[in-house]
Amino acid sequence: MDLKSRKHSFGQNAFHFVWKIKYAKDPFKFYGLRMDCEFFLRQVAYRKGFKIYELHIGVDHIHLFVEMPPTMSVSMALQLFKGYSAFKLFKKHPWLRNYFRKGHFWSPGKFFRSVGNTTTEAVQHYITSSQPWVC
């Protein structure tokens, strides 16, 4: 992962996301459904300018390691991934409506963590060892 230079910024905005299926169901045991979900998640990434480094679809959850634009919030990115994929999966596989009667494919919870090339200790050391500003 490289740092990106933009018009007024320089940095990296990479995250590890994890989210689960509602009611801990296991529809991804079906290969076709898993492949469709992966396609829809990659479609969101392509359209919004995200870069997917790693994507794993488990039986009842998703792991996604993605870099996104600095103007995008974590909650907005997850809303895009979860909302679009659920909409498209329900549209392509109508039988899922029987599996998820209330119309919610994903659980409302999420895990996210900023991922970078440095450790917390390195950042703390850099900040504490820098020279104080002289007025």
Coordinates of all heavy atoms in Angstrom, one line a residue, residues 27-41 55-59 61-62 89 93:
P27 N -26.7 -18.2 4.2 CA -27.0 -18.4 2.8 C -25.8 -18.5 1.9 O -25.9 -18.9 0.8 CB -27.8 -17.1 2.5 CG -27.3 -16.1 3.4 CD -27.0 -16.9 4.7
F28 N -24.6 -18.1 2.4 CA -23.4 -18.1 1.5 C -22.8 -19.5 1.4 O -21.8 -19.7 0.8 CB -22.3 -17.2 2.0 CG -22.7 -15.7 1.8 CD1 -22.4 -14.8 2.8 CD2 -23.3 -15.3 0.6 CE1 -22.8 -13.4 2.6 CE2 -23.7 -14.0 0.4 CZ -23.4 -13.1 1.4
K29 N -23.6 -20.5 2.0 CA -23.2 -21.9 1.7 C -23.4 -22.2 0.3 O -22.9 -23.2 -0.2 CB -23.9 -22.9 2.7 CG -25.4 -22.9 2.5 CD -26.0 -23.8 3.6 CE -27.6 -23.7 3.4 NZ -28.2 -24.3 4.5
F30 N -24.3 -21.4 -0.4 CA -24.5 -21.6 -1.8 C -23.5 -20.8 -2.6 O -23.4 -19.6 -2.5 CB -26.0 -21.1 -2.1 CG -27.0 -21.8 -1.3 CD1 -27.7 -21.2 -0.4 CD2 -27.3 -23.2 -1.6 CE1 -28.7 -21.8 0.4 CE2 -28.3 -23.8 -0.8 CZ -29.0 -23.1 0.1
Y31 N -22.8 -21.5 -3.4 CA -21.6 -20.9 -4.2 C -22.1 -19.8 -5.0 O -21.4 -18.7 -5.1 CB -21.0 -22.0 -5.0 CG -19.8 -21.5 -5.8 CD1 -18.6 -21.3 -5.2 CD2 -19.9 -21.3 -7.2 CE1 -17.5 -20.8 -5.9 CE2 -18.9 -20.8 -7.9 CZ -17.7 -20.6 -7.3 OH -16.6 -20.1 -8.0
G32 N -23.2 -19.9 -5.7 CA -23.7 -18.9 -6.6 C -24.0 -17.6 -5.9 O -23.7 -16.5 -6.4
L33 N -24.6 -17.7 -4.8 CA -24.9 -16.5 -4.0 C -23.6 -15.8 -3.5 O -23.6 -14.6 -3.5 CB -25.8 -16.9 -2.8 CG -26.5 -15.8 -2.0 CD1 -27.5 -15.1 -2.9 CD2 -27.1 -16.4 -0.8
R34 N -22.7 -16.6 -3.1 CA -21.4 -16.1 -2.6 C -20.7 -15.3 -3.8 O -20.2 -14.2 -3.6 CB -20.5 -17.2 -2.2 CG -19.7 -16.9 -1.0 CD -19.0 -18.0 -0.3 NE -18.4 -19.0 -1.2 CZ -18.8 -20.3 -1.2 NH1 -19.7 -20.7 -0.4 NH2 -18.2 -21.2 -2.0
M35 N -20.7 -15.9 -5.0 CA -20.1 -15.2 -6.1 C -20.8 -13.9 -6.5 O -20.2 -12.9 -6.9 CB -20.0 -16.2 -7.3 CG -19.1 -17.4 -7.1 SD -17.4 -16.8 -6.9 CE -17.2 -17.0 -5.1
D36 N -22.2 -14.0 -6.4 CA -22.9 -12.8 -6.7 C -22.6 -11.7 -5.7 O -22.5 -10.5 -6.1 CB -24.4 -13.1 -6.7 CG -24.9 -13.9 -7.9 OD1 -24.1 -13.9 -9.0 OD2 -25.9 -14.5 -7.8
C37 N -22.5 -12.0 -4.5 CA -22.2 -11.0 -3.4 C -20.9 -10.4 -3.7 O -20.7 -9.2 -3.6 CB -22.3 -11.6 -2.1 SG -22.1 -10.4 -0.7
E38 N -19.9 -11.2 -4.0 CA -18.6 -10.7 -4.3 C -18.6 -9.8 -5.5 O -18.0 -8.7 -5.5 CB -17.6 -11.9 -4.6 CG -16.2 -11.4 -4.9 CD -15.2 -12.5 -5.1 OE1 -15.5 -13.6 -4.7 OE2 -14.1 -12.1 -5.6
F39 N -19.3 -10.1 -6.5 CA -19.4 -9.3 -7.7 C -20.1 -7.9 -7.4 O -19.6 -6.9 -7.8 CB -20.3 -10.0 -8.8 CG -20.5 -9.1 -10.0 CD1 -19.5 -8.9 -10.9 CD2 -21.8 -8.5 -10.2 CE1 -19.8 -8.1 -12.0 CE2 -22.0 -7.7 -11.3 CZ -21.0 -7.5 -12.2
F40 N -21.1 -7.9 -6.6 CA -21.8 -6.7 -6.2 C -20.9 -5.8 -5.3 O -20.9 -4.6 -5.5 CB -23.1 -7.0 -5.5 CG -24.1 -7.7 -6.4 CD1 -24.9 -8.7 -5.8 CD2 -24.2 -7.4 -7.7 CE1 -25.8 -9.4 -6.6 CE2 -25.1 -8.1 -8.5 CZ -25.9 -9.1 -8.0
L41 N -20.1 -6.4 -4.4 CA -19.2 -5.6 -3.6 C -18.1 -5.0 -4.4 O -17.7 -3.8 -4.2 CB -18.6 -6.5 -2.5 CG -19.6 -7.0 -1.4 CD1 -19.0 -8.0 -0.5 CD2 -20.2 -5.8 -0.6
L55 N -10.7 -9.6 0.0 CA -12.2 -9.8 0.2 C -12.4 -11.3 0.5 O -11.9 -12.1 -0.3 CB -13.0 -9.4 -1.0 CG -14.5 -9.7 -1.0 CD1 -15.2 -9.0 0.1 CD2 -15.1 -9.3 -2.3
H56 N -13.0 -11.5 1.7 CA -13.3 -12.9 2.0 C -14.8 -13.0 2.4 O -15.2 -12.2 3.3 CB -12.5 -13.4 3.1 CG -12.9 -14.8 3.7 ND1 -12.7 -15.9 3.0 CD2 -13.5 -15.1 4.8 CE1 -13.2 -16.9 3.7 NE2 -13.7 -16.5 4.8
I57 N -15.5 -13.9 1.8 CA -16.9 -14.1 2.1 C -17.0 -15.4 2.8 O -16.8 -16.5 2.2 CB -17.8 -14.1 0.8 CG1 -17.7 -12.7 0.2 CG2 -19.2 -14.4 1.2 CD1 -18.4 -12.6 -1.1
G58 N -17.3 -15.3 4.1 CA -17.5 -16.5 4.9 C -18.9 -17.0 4.8 O -19.7 -16.5 4.1
V59 N -19.2 -18.1 5.5 CA -20.6 -18.6 5.5 C -21.6 -17.6 6.0 O -22.7 -17.5 5.5 CB -20.7 -19.9 6.3 CG1 -22.1 -20.5 6.3 CG2 -19.8 -21.0 5.7
H61 N -20.5 -14.2 7.2 CA -19.9 -12.8 7.4 C -19.0 -12.5 6.3 O -18.7 -13.3 5.4 CB -19.2 -12.8 8.7 CG -18.0 -13.6 8.8 ND1 -18.0 -15.0 8.9 CD2 -16.7 -13.3 8.6 CE1 -16.8 -15.5 8.9 NE2 -15.9 -14.5 8.7
I62 N -18.6 -11.2 6.2 CA -17.7 -10.7 5.2 C -16.5 -10.0 5.9 O -16.7 -9.3 6.9 CB -18.4 -9.5 4.4 CG1 -19.7 -10.0 3.8 CG2 -17.5 -8.9 3.3 CD1 -19.6 -10.9 2.6
L89 N -28.8 -8.6 -4.2 CA -29.0 -10.0 -3.9 C -30.5 -10.3 -3.8 O -30.9 -11.3 -4.3 CB -28.3 -10.3 -2.6 CG -26.8 -10.5 -2.7 CD1 -26.2 -10.6 -1.3 CD2 -26.4 -11.6 -3.5
H93 N -32.0 -12.9 -6.4 CA -32.5 -14.2 -5.7 C -33.7 -13.9 -4.9 O -33.6 -13.7 -3.7 CB -31.3 -14.7 -4.9 CG -30.1 -14.9 -5.6 ND1 -29.8 -16.1 -6.3 CD2 -28.9 -14.2 -5.7 CE1 -28.6 -16.0 -6.9 NE2 -28.1 -14.9 -6.5

